[in-house]
């Protein structure tokens, strides 16, 4: 069992104990352990009880529960609670704004045990009548339900890529050529179909092989002789496996990668790109390397009289408009990144020290690491008050002494944007940082006018260097708060503020559709991982993918600046502030 799986089970146990009104002390014990262990880097599953009790928030009782989880994969206490809890009640915890007490009230007072009943109760006005709820809460619940319904059957980019790679590895042991296609290949931020193309000259035999694989479950009604549809065990998203002979693979890979609006774009003589692709005469690629596949697809665009578009950008006609001003060679790549900004350490809610995070950045070949731990308002995340800011900066000074001129840690902070748009430190404290990432984390239910005004004031603050995750969205879980993107981007241009592409696959915020407008206004974008551990630093891969989808160039990528360029930029900016 991984740490996250163990913590999830402890957290769910604490939540269900509270739901069933069990002993308050024991409930808090589970909740406290889950909260503290979420930051732990210890290998929880392999520690004995006598070592577990040395960890923050872990007493002997919880330590024994952890051992039970590690050894059996289950927790008896949790299994008993789950047996007493309707499955639909657990689904209610997915509704934004519904804590344990409200879920318990809805269950016990209205007898609601599933999301359908919850929606009916809201539509009938029953929820608003409950003490402590009201019309406003009822409307928020209905809006959250509508959002969840829209997200059903989808997974984030990271999970889709994991599924697709697992399938490709498994299928490649049975078939000569297997290619990732569809939404996964063009790096969609949300995926409702994980699609792969399989090369075979015998589709009947291939279907038989697919149905022998233990983790694949076919939907016979949705399948056809040349298309296997179903699901992969453990994932609630459709899997689609398309069967083609060798001579069709390149053409079909191109067709199935691009979205319909892209394929409808007119090529030579007004003929749609899709029609030209079907008519193209592409040779079989004997050695289907990425370069060979790209060459085959370039031939299709060439026959259409259109510029070659990289897979990430094959969404609609935007790519062709972009290509009239740029070349594909300008698009940002992972290798273009020189450093990383907006990261968290054990000083706030991260799992690794500043030193360990910086060391891993050096292993990745980066030349600078920017720490941006949470600020004092984020007390729930161990936010830093002014004294702890000073202590962290002293630590960074010591670490920097050992790096020479080839690497540097920059002193940053993720300063909370308060409800009125001000930052949560005074100017004297803000002046001590190399840069400031200004982000909203609380009070997310403002109108568009108020939310925009709030961000505009933060952008106007001379200490704001980067606007962090501008809408605060969590993909498949929470809609972003409404903002006037044009007004925000225009203000960033006026005040020389960088906009973040939060590379966490949970966020990918700012949305890729606004990247080109930002660049046109002269606003640089920073691909920030918002990393809370070493692995999180690799999330910049997702940020690069989304950046490329939106046409982000290396020249407009903030953290593609070299160490010297970044140092000069930040120093000059601070000098201008202090004039």
């Amino acid at each position: 069992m991984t740490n996250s799986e163990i913590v999830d089970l402890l957290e769910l146990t604490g939540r269900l104990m509270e739901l069933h009104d069990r002993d308050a002390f024991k409930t808090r014990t589970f909740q406290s352990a889950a909260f503290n262990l979420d930051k732990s880097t210890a290998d929880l599953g392999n520690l004995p009880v006598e070592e577990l009790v040395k960890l923050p928030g872990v007493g002997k009782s919880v330590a024994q529960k952890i051992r039970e989880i590690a050894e059996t994969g289950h927790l008896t206490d949790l299994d008993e609670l789950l047996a007493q809890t309707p499955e639909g009640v657990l689904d209610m915890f997915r509704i934004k704004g519904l804590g344990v007490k409200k879920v318990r009230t809805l269950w016990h007072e209205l007898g609601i045990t599933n999301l359908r009943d919850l929606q009916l109760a809201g539509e009938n006005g029953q929820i608003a009548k409950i003490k402590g709820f009201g019309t406003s809460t009822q409307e928020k619940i209905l809006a959250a339900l509508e959002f969840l319904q829209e997200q059903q059957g989808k997974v984030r980019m990271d999970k889709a890529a994991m599924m697709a790679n697992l399938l490709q590895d498994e299928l490649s042991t049975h078939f000569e050529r297997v290619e990732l296609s569809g939404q996964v290949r063009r790096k969609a931020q949300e995926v409702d179909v994980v699609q792969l193309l399989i090369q075979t000259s015998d589709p009947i035999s291939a279907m038989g092989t697919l149905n022998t694989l233990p983790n694949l479950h076919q939907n016979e009604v949705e399948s056809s002789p040349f298309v296997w549809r179903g699901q992969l065990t453990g994932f609630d998203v459709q899997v689609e496996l398309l069967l083609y002979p060798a001579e069709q693979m390149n053409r079909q890979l191109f067709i199935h990668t691009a979205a319909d609006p892209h394929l409808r774009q007119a090529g030579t003589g007004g003929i749609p790109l899709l029609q030209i692709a079907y008519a193209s005469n592409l040779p079989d690629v004997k050695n289907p390397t990425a370069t060979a596949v790209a060459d085959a697809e370039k031939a299709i665009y060439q026959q259409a009289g259109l510029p070659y578009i990289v897979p990430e950008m094959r969404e609609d006609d935007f790519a062709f408009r972009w290509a009239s001003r740029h070349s594909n060679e300008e698009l940002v790549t992972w290798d273009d990144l020189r450093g990383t900004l907006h990261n968290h350490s054990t000083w706030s809610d991260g799992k690794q020290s500043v030193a360990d995070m910086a060391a891993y950045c050096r292993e990745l070949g980066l030349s600078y690491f920017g720490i941006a731990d949470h600020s004092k308002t984020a007390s729930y995340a161990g936010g830093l008050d002014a004294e702890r800011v000073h202590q962290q900066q002293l630590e960074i000074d010591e670490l920097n002494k050992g790096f020479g001129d080839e690497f540097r840690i920059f002193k940053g902070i993720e300063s909370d944007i308060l409800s009125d748009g001000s930052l949560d430190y005074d100017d004297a404290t803000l002046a001590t940082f190399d840069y400031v990432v200004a982000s909203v984390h609380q009070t997310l239910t403002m109108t568009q006018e108020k939310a925009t005004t709030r961000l505009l004031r933060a952008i106007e603050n001379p200490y704001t260097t980067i606007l962090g995750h501008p809408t605060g969205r969590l993909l498949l879980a929470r809609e972003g708060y409404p903002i006037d993107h044009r007004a925000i981007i225009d203000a960033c241009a006026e005040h020389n503020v960088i906009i973040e592409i939060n590379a966490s696959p949970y966020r990918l915020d700012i949305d890729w559709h606004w990247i080109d407008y930002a660049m046109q206004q002269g606003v640089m974008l920073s691909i920030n991982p918002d990393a809370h551990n070493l692995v999180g630093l690799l999330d910049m891969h997702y940020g690069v993918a989304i950046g490329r989808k939106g046409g982000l160039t290396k020249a407009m990528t903030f953290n593609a600046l070299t160490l010297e360029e970044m140092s000069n930029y930040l120093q000059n900016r601070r000098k201008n502030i202090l004039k």
Side-chain angles (χ1 to χ4, degrees):
M1 300 283 289
T2 65
N3 278 16
S4 60
E5 289 170 332
I6 291 171
V7 169
D8 285 347
L9 291 181
L10 292 175
E11 184 179 20
L12 181 57
T13 302
R15 182 180 294 176
L16 292 185
M17 289 177 73
E18 184 178 354
L19 179 70
H20 289 279
D21 205 18
R22 296 294 173 84
D23 181 88
F25 176 78
K26 291 182 179 179
T27 299
R28 284 194 297 272
T29 297
F30 276 94
Q31 294 171 338
S32 175
F35 178 81
N36 284 283
L37 293 177
D38 190 43
K39 293 177 60 176
S40 178
T41 57
D43 186 1
L44 302 178
N46 288 316
L47 290 182
V49 169
E50 53 267 26
E51 292 297 321
L52 286 168
V53 295
K54 297 177 182 178
L55 299 176
V58 179
K60 186 174 182 180
S61 175
V62 170
Q64 291 171 338
K65 304 297 183 186
I66 293 173
R67 290 309 314 146
E68 181 184 348
I69 293 170
E71 292 168 7
T72 68
H74 294 276
L75 183 59
T76 303
D77 292 0
L78 177 57
D79 290 342
E80 292 174 355
L81 289 164
L82 287 170
Q84 300 167 29
T85 310
E87 186 175 342
V89 170
L90 295 176
D91 290 336
M92 289 162 64
F93 286 119
R94 297 165 56 202
I95 302 297
K96 179 185 173 183
L98 281 187
V100 175
K101 292 180 180 178
K102 279 189 165 63
V103 169
R104 183 170 60 218
T105 299
L106 290 166
W107 178 19
H108 291 169
E109 292 195 17
L110 294 184
I112 295 173
T113 58
N114 57 65
L115 296 183
R116 177 60 181 157
D117 288 348
L118 182 64
Q119 182 173 352
L120 290 174
E123 293 171 346
N124 295 333
Q126 293 175 278
I127 294 174
K129 297 175 184 178
I130 303 175
K131 183 179 179 180
F133 282 75
T135 303
S136 176
T137 299
Q138 179 174 272
E139 290 175 352
K140 290 175 183 176
I141 289 173
L142 288 173
L145 281 167
E146 182 180 357
F147 178 76
L148 282 179
Q149 288 166 359
E150 292 173 354
Q151 311 309 311
Q152 281 185 338
K154 296 180 182 180
V155 291
R156 297 185 312 272
M157 173 193 285
D158 57 327
K159 283 195 173 183
M162 178 181 69
M163 285 180 63
N165 289 325
L166 285 172
L167 285 166
Q168 187 177 40
D169 289 345
E170 173 64 24
L171 295 172
S172 293
T173 64
H174 302 278
F175 300 98
E176 182 178 351
R177 183 180 176 190
V178 180
E179 297 281 1
L180 306 187
S181 182
Q183 297 167 336
V184 172
R185 188 175 178 224
R186 66 174 186 270
K187 309 295 185 183
Q189 60 197 21
E190 296 172 352
V191 173
D192 56 21
V193 178
V194 174
Q195 184 185 81
L196 293 90
L197 271 57
I198 297 173
Q199 178 178 309
T200 178
S201 59
D202 186 354
I204 294 176
S205 175
M207 278 289 184
T209 298
L210 293 176
N211 286 321
T212 64
L213 302 180
N215 293 320
L216 283 176
H217 309 283
Q218 185 181 26
N219 183 328
E220 294 185 9
V221 175
E222 295 292 330
S223 298
S224 70
F226 303 99
V227 181
W228 186 100
R229 292 188 177 95
Q231 289 187 316
L232 179 66
T233 300
F235 296 92
D236 182 26
V237 64
Q238 180 172 287
V239 172
E240 192 171 77
L241 307 176
L242 310 181
L243 309 177
Y244 290 107
E247 63 271 16
Q248 285 282 330
M249 282 292 286
N250 293 327
R251 178 185 297 109
Q252 294 298 338
L253 178 59
F254 171 78
I255 291 170
H256 287 290
T257 292
D260 288 341
H262 188 78
L263 293 172
R264 288 198 296 267
Q265 298 308 303
T268 303
I271 302 173
L273 184 57
L274 175 62
Q275 188 174 336
I276 293 171
Y278 271 120
S280 62
N281 184 22
L282 298 180
D284 175 24
V285 176
K286 300 300 182 183
N287 183 24
T289 63
T291 300
V293 170
D295 287 343
E297 294 183 324
K298 286 176 182 177
I300 295 175
Y301 283 106
Q302 187 174 15
Q303 291 172 34
L306 295 170
Y308 172 71
I309 303 299
V310 297
E312 299 96 317
M313 298 183 74
R314 297 175 195 170
E315 294 286 353
D316 48 31
D317 63 338
F318 158 71
F320 297 112
R321 297 196 306 273
W322 180 90
S324 69
R325 295 178 277 112
H326 300 282
S327 67
N328 291 320
E329 289 70 29
E330 295 177 58
L331 286 169
V332 68
T333 68
W334 170 270
D335 291 337
D336 292 329
L337 303 184
R338 295 291 176 261
T340 171
L341 305 165
H342 190 172
N343 303 286
H344 299 267
S345 73
T346 49
W347 279 92
S348 64
D349 63 342
K351 294 188 177 182
Q352 261 90 28
S353 67
V354 173
D356 287 344
M357 296 285 276
Y360 189 57
C361 284
R362 296 184 75 187
E363 287 183 31
L364 294 175
L366 302 175
S367 56
Y368 52 88
F369 168 70
I371 189 66
D373 273 310
H374 285 288
S375 58
K376 62 180 183 179
T377 300
S379 56
Y380 58 88
L384 280 63
D385 59 23
E387 176 56 31
R388 294 183 67 224
V389 165
H390 178 64
Q391 293 171 7
Q392 184 188 66
Q393 291 180 351
L394 289 176
E395 177 185 302
I396 292 171
D397 287 338
E398 287 301 311
L399 290 169
N400 277 332
K401 289 178 183 177
F403 294 135
D405 297 330
E406 296 182 355
F407 188 86
R408 181 175 172 186
I409 302 172
F410 288 112
K411 303 169 187 172
I413 196 73
E414 186 179 21
S415 183
D416 265 35
I417 301 174
L418 304 179
S419 297
D420 63 357
S422 60
L423 304 186
D424 64 341
Y425 288 117
D426 57 32
D427 286 356
T429 303
L430 291 170
T432 66
F433 298 107
D434 293 319
Y435 68 97
V436 173
V437 179
S439 306
V440 170
H441 291 108
Q442 301 180 59
T443 316
L444 306 179
T445 57
M446 290 183 171
T447 63
Q448 176 172 312
E449 181 181 2
K450 288 184 177 180
T452 301
T453 300
R454 177 189 196 179
L455 290 188
L456 289 176
R457 184 179 176 193
I459 291 166
E460 292 166 1
N461 189 309
Y463 290 100
T464 297
T465 318
I466 301 173
L467 177 62
H469 45 71
T471 74
R473 73 181 183 186
L474 293 175
L475 294 172
L476 303 182
R478 181 178 75 202
E479 286 187 287
Y481 42 84
I483 60 173
D484 183 337
H485 280 81
R486 288 183 183 274
I488 296 302
I489 292 170
D490 291 348
C492 287
E494 179 183 353
H495 296 280
N496 194 29
V497 170
I498 313 300
I499 293 179
E500 171 177 273
I501 299 176
N502 190 293
S504 166
Y506 288 84
R507 292 189 183 273
L508 300 177
D509 183 17
I510 192 169
D511 189 273
W512 68 266
H513 291 87
W514 290 101
I515 290 173
D516 189 55
Y517 180 76
M519 293 196 304
Q520 290 185 49
Q521 302 312 114
V523 176
M524 296 187 79
L525 296 108
S526 186
I527 297 175
N528 293 344
D530 199 353
H532 288 67
N533 53 32
L534 302 184
V535 174
L537 291 164
L538 300 177
D539 284 351
M540 288 193 294
H541 281 290
Y542 303 119
V544 167
I546 287 298
R548 288 171 63 87
K549 181 178 286 292
L552 180 61
T553 63
K554 174 185 176 181
M556 293 302 290
T557 303
F558 187 52
N559 55 319
L561 295 179
T562 65
L563 174 57
E564 182 180 4
E565 290 170 337
M566 181 63 72
S567 297
N568 291 338
Y569 179 95
L570 296 178
Q571 286 174 12
N572 290 335
R573 201 174 194 286
R574 291 183 70 191
K575 288 177 182 177
N576 289 333
I577 294 171
L578 299 174
K579 279 183 180 178

